[in-house]
Amino acid sequence: MEDLLPKQKLNWHKWALTAVMLVALVWSAFITDAHLGLFFTNFSQFTELFVEMAHVDWAYTGYTLEPMLQTIKMSIIGTLLGSALAFPYALLVSRNIVTNKVVVGVFRFILNIVRTIPDLMLAALFVAVVGIGPVAGIFALTIFTFGMVSKLFYEAIETIDPGPLEALRAAGGNRIEIIRFAVFPQIANYFVSYVLYAFEINVRASTVLGYMGAGGIGVYLQQALSMFRYDRVGVIVLVIFVVVLAIDYVSGKTREALL
Amino acid sequence: MKQEATPVIEFDHVSKIYENGVVGLKDINLTIMPGEFVVVVGLSGAGKSTLMRAVNRLHDISQGDIRIDGESITKAKGKKLRQIRRKIGMIFQNFNLINRATVLRNVLTGRVGYYPTWKMLFGLFSPEDKQRAYQALQTVELADKVYTRADQLSGGQQQRVSIARALTQAPSLILADEPIASLDPETTRRVMDDLKRINQELGMTVLVNLHQVDLAQAYGSRIIGIRAGEKVFDGPVSEATSAVFDEIYNGAEAEG
């Protein structure tokens, strides 16, 4: 006689956990007083705003170009500074480069703390420290980039082929020579790719950073919104859209070619 | 015999126990003289690779002392250790080339031990060393591939590039850790011939790990048998009869 497929045992734990999570979700909605209805009642306002924004004040376009350029400059400088810091730091927290577990552990912990701070909070912090203006934005982007690129980069470093490292060690190379000849050629393309990726994200992030007073097009966006000039908001949104799209396209194609 | 000459390699009661308690090497004594072509044979996991990596201290040993040209590599640190290592060229089973770099750049990395770090940071190799690298490539008959990227070459060619890299290092000793394990029979012969020529024409001492008994007999001047971390045979190739190889490979069964 043919053996029948045995029935899978009912997993009570799984079902119980699912039920608990569903209850918790509904309960949390109640205690935070969240109503789905509220979202839809204000929906008409959204369409009204959208219609206003659609009446674009084209004459304003000229005034947006300079702050947009400032935003791009901020992104470039922030990306470069952050990446320059990230390069040595990523090597320091890679387990296949630094074998001392304590060193790696401590510096990874610091990196994780840096990475938990959102970019807007960084911007607010630096506006308080260095004052309103693009310098605060550059500092915020530098720290933000540093956290992001360090993380991506050390993960790439840890996947490299250990063979060439061993060969360099056997030939009498020291740690710096091993990094220069066995590690660097394996990761250079990744690094450039991650820097470009960080730049893409930074252009998008820095458009909003102005909101906190950190310079760039965000300042104009905030002003236009607070004056209810939705025709100007429309222009600013369109300019940001076009620039971000162009940069993403060029950077994306470049990264494709690199990897 | 060259009894008065300094041995290239000396193992003095060397043992290696891994952190997980596995015994890698058990009380090994070994003396290899300049100009020898020594083949180490044994089963996978017998400790051949551990023995080889102990020589240039890619692996640290637990007990005993290893001397290279009379100097203890076991006690050497930092710069001293790197200076001893640069006298020892190494060839690996997986070639260990930098795939994205050119053949020339790969061969030149054999010279890093001779330069100050700041020069290497900028990749400043001297014209003499570039010429030396080119000559090494001529020795392995790959001169026409000098500017080709390493990953564009076949397995056999890559292994010959790694031989050129070891030669450029101008070592007195060459370690080859299963250099032909991932090659076909034809390229195997070429690589082994290259090693033989380096031994006979350039006078470098060669220590090579092999699986194949026939190759060990064809190329070696001396055979060392390793079983479960212990040296079970050490003698000239003429004394390594098939009974000896049986003992090296199946000794445990024969005893039991």
Side-chain angles (χ1 to χ4, degrees), chain B residues 78-174:
Chain B
K79 199 174 164 78
K80 184 80 210 153
L81 172 62
R82 295 197 296 272
Q83 274 171 355
I84 298 177
R85 273 183 182 155
R86 95 183 168 192
K87 291 198 287 191
I88 310 169
M90 192 162 187
I91 294 157
F92 302 86
Q93 179 179 345
N94 302 317
F95 326 135
N96 288 357
L97 298 180
I98 303 144
N99 284 331
R100 286 173 176 276
T102 62
V103 166
L104 179 66
R105 168 70 36 153
N106 267 289
V107 174
L108 277 171
T109 59
R111 295 300 291 176
V112 290
Y114 293 90
Y115 286 89
T117 306
W118 70 267
K119 270 197 176 173
M120 288 298 89
L121 211 51
F122 298 101
L124 301 172
F125 290 99
S126 68
E128 296 84 56
D129 278 348
K130 285 180 184 162
Q131 189 57 36
R132 191 195 293 266
Y134 186 59
Q135 262 160 16
L137 281 169
Q138 284 172 321
T139 308
V140 296
E141 290 165 38
L142 281 173
D144 56 321
K145 303 285 185 197
V146 62
Y147 293 117
T148 310
R149 250 174 70 149
D151 54 5
Q152 314 256 303
L153 302 179
S154 70
Q157 288 172 329
Q158 290 193 27
Q159 191 58 297
R160 277 148 59 213
V161 170
S162 89
I163 292 175
R165 174 173 64 188
L167 282 181
T168 309
Q169 208 176 315
S172 51
L173 164 68
I174 289 206

Side-chain angles (χ1 to χ4, degrees), chain B residues 48-61:
Chain B
K48 301 193 301 290
S49 233
T50 311
L51 179 86
M52 189 136 295
R53 275 147 215 268
V55 174
N56 61 1
R57 239 181 90 187
L58 286 182
H59 285 179
D60 279 314
I61 55 172

